[in-house]
Amino acid sequence: NYGRTINQSSLISSIIYDTITSTEEEQVLLFCYYLMRNYYLCAKRLYQAYEEWLITQANSFDGNVHFIDLKCGPATFGLAFYEQFKDNIHLTYTGIDGSLEMRTMGNKMINDVCGEDVNAFFLESIQDLDDDYIESISKEPTLTIFNMAYLFSNIDSEFSEKLANHIIDIMQNINYNKNNYVGGIFGKEVQKKT
């Protein structure tokens, strides 16, 4: 299952895992067909709810936004963010996903929808957000947003705590290196770190 545990509807789970033998690439296509639209629309509603605040924050950095999408899938939340704010921002997108097939689809989607408007990078692991990477994305002041929309949905509490602490360390490193504003989007709330 392309590196993830699926907890979606039993119908889709049974279609994908019980009755069909499919490749990882086919599983990603099934995900895109059956689930991506719902996730996209949820993301759009979230961004619409915070549109004025996010534009104000981005404007304080000359419209420069770096969107770091943890467990990015086919870049669903990044695409929704781009569509919502494309007239107001200069977007750099970093998608992180353990699935090569999801990263490949995300890259294709970003290129097809955004073209040259978005500078996009795809990484395999949060460990790839090391000091060198942080330095490379911090050359000028930027509003940095971490999207964690389904990141903690299928992991145990001990691993969740370790992962959360690692993310906090990364956020602090970005924030302290270049005085960037770092935000995290968690479900229906925007958490701010100053």
Side-chain angles (χ1 to χ4, degrees):
N1 86 21
Y2 61 83
R4 297 207 199 122
T5 303
I6 296 290
N7 65 353
Q8 306 301 328
S9 74
S10 60
L11 172 63
I12 293 171
S13 294
S14 67
I15 289 172
I16 294 174
Y17 300 108
D18 296 340
T19 61
I20 297 175
T21 302
S22 56
T23 66
E24 292 174 355
E25 185 177 67
E26 290 167 335
Q27 291 173 20
V28 169
L29 292 174
L30 287 168
F31 174 89
C32 291
Y33 183 81
Y34 286 105
L35 302 172
M36 188 173 177
R37 178 180 300 211
N38 289 336
Y39 291 168
Y40 178 86
L41 293 174
C42 288
K44 284 284 281 189
R45 283 191 296 275
L46 174 66
Y47 302 145
Q48 287 167 351
Y50 292 97
E51 180 174 23
E52 185 178 320
W53 180 83
L54 285 165
I55 290 172
T56 299
Q57 297 305 314
N59 285 341
S60 63
F61 295 98
D62 296 324
N64 295 317
V65 176
H66 191 130
F67 190 92
I68 299 176
D69 197 358
L70 304 172
K71 197 173 176 186
C72 67
T76 309
F77 279 72
L79 291 167
F81 190 86
Y82 169 77
E83 286 295 325
Q84 187 67 35
F85 298 106
K86 65 184 172 189
D87 295 330
N88 299 296
I89 63 168
H90 311 289
L91 182 63
T92 298
Y93 175 85
T94 299
I96 301 171
D97 201 295
S99 165
L100 173 61
E101 289 73 18
M102 279 293 193
R103 292 191 313 272
T104 300
M105 180 59 76
N107 193 37
K108 179 184 180 336
M109 294 279 205
I110 289 286
N111 287 330
D112 288 352
V113 172
C114 309
E116 300 287 322
D117 287 348
V118 173
N119 204 5
F121 306 92
F122 287 86
L123 307 174
E124 181 177 3
S125 167
I126 194 168
Q127 302 301 327
D128 295 331
L129 291 176
D130 59 15
D131 291 340
D132 291 337
Y133 188 80
I134 290 169
E135 184 62 32
S136 76
I137 65 171
S138 301
K139 292 185 179 179
E140 58 186 66
T142 302
L143 170 65
T144 303
I145 298 173
F146 281 77
N147 177 58
M148 299 175 228
Y150 295 96
L151 181 65
F152 295 97
S153 63
N154 291 314
I155 55 179
D156 66 46
S157 60
E158 185 178 325
F159 185 72
S160 290
E161 186 173 348
K162 288 178 184 176
L163 183 57
N165 287 328
H166 185 68
I167 292 167
I168 289 168
D169 289 343
I170 292 169
M171 287 179 164
Q172 289 174 337
N173 194 13
I174 290 172
N175 200 30
Y176 296 140
N177 272 347
K178 297 292 180 182
N179 299 314
N180 294 352
Y181 190 92
V182 177
I185 295 179
F186 305 88
K188 296 181 181 178
E189 297 180 32
V190 173
Q191 303 291 326
K192 296 180 264 181
K193 175 162 181 50
T194 56

